[in-house]
C-alpha cells in the first residue's frame, strides 16, 4: 500500500529575513560614511604577463613563435600573458629569453609598471613621494 504523505520540504533561509517596516525600530543608526572602495593592488602575474605580451606584440611576433622558441606550450604562454597562471622563474626566464630579454629585464619592467600603477592609485599621504624621498623605480648612476 502506498501512503499519501504530503511532499513537503523544510526550507531553511540562507540569510535572515528582512524586517518589515512596521517591525523596524523607530531610530535607525546613521549609515556609515560612503568612501570610494580602495583600489585593488595589481597582481604580480598580471604585471609580468602584460610586459611579456607588450614585448611580443612590439616585436610583431606570434604567440606560437615565442612559445616554440621558449619551449613552452602555446596555451600555457597565453595563460601566463593573460595573468591566469603563476609561472615559475624557469618559465618566465624562458619566455623572456625567447623575446631577447633577461629575467632581470622582465622583472624590472614589471616592477616599473607596479610603481607607475601604485603612484596613480595612491591617495594623499600615500605613495612613493609620501616618505620624503621620491622613488620612481629608476636608478641613475654617475
Amino acid at each position: 500500500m502506498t501512503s499519501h504523505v504530503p511532499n513537503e520540504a523544510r526550507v531553511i533561509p540562507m540569510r535572515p529575513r528582512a524586517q518589515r517596516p512596521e517591525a523596524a525600530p523607530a531610530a535607525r543608526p546613521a549609515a556609515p560614511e560612503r568612501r570610494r572602495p580602495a583600489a585593488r593592488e595589481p597582481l604580480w602575474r598580471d604585471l609580468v604577463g602584460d610586459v611579456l605580451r607588450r614585448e611580443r606584440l612590439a616585436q610583431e611576433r606570434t604567440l606560437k613563435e615565442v612559445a616554440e622558441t621558449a619551449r613552452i606550450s602555446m596555451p600555457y604562454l597565453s595563460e601566463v600573458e593573460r595573468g591566469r597562471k603563476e609561472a615559475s622563474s624557469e618559465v618566465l626566464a624562458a619566455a623572456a629569453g625567447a623575446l631577447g630579454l633577461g629575467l632581470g629585464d622582465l622583472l624590472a619592467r614589471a616592477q616599473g609598471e607596479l610603481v607607475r600603477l601604485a603612484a596613480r592609485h595612491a591617495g594623499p599621504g600615500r605613495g612613493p613621494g609620501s616618505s620624503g624621498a621620491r622613488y620612481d623605480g629608476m636608478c641613475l648612476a654617475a
Side-chain angles (χ1 to χ4, degrees):
M1 285 198 182
T2 350
S3 70
H4 293 300
V5 177
N7 189 9
E8 294 179 15
R10 183 172 168 215
V11 177
I12 301 171
M14 297 301 287
R15 61 180 106 149
R17 292 183 181 176
Q19 293 181 343
R20 293 191 174 115
E22 64 271 3
R28 288 187 173 187
E33 183 181 317
R34 292 194 180 236
R35 296 181 189 174
R36 273 184 35 202
R40 182 178 69 88
E41 290 272 342
L43 298 177
W44 185 249
R45 66 176 184 242
D46 290 330
L47 296 169
V48 170
D50 287 344
V51 170
L52 286 171
R53 176 166 282 174
R54 269 198 314 268
E55 185 62 31
R56 179 177 60 79
L57 294 175
Q59 293 180 15
E60 297 179 352
R61 295 177 64 191
T62 66
L63 193 62
K64 183 178 180 181
E65 291 171 340
V66 175
E68 286 176 353
T69 304
R71 299 179 60 117
I72 302 170
S73 76
M74 190 172 69
Y76 189 75
L77 181 57
S78 173
E79 297 234 326
V80 169
E81 282 189 355
R82 290 182 292 138
R84 302 283 192 258
K85 295 288 182 187
E86 193 83 50
S88 68
S89 58
E90 291 87 358
V91 169
L92 293 177
L99 293 167
L101 300 172
L103 181 59
D105 299 325
L106 172 65
L107 300 181
R109 290 182 186 191
Q111 188 267 346
E113 193 65 19
L114 178 61
V115 169
R116 187 182 66 77
L117 290 172
R120 183 178 358 155
H121 293 296
R126 293 183 59 205
S130 63
S131 66
R134 188 155 194 271
Y135 176 70
D136 287 335
M138 300 183 78
C139 179
L140 299 176

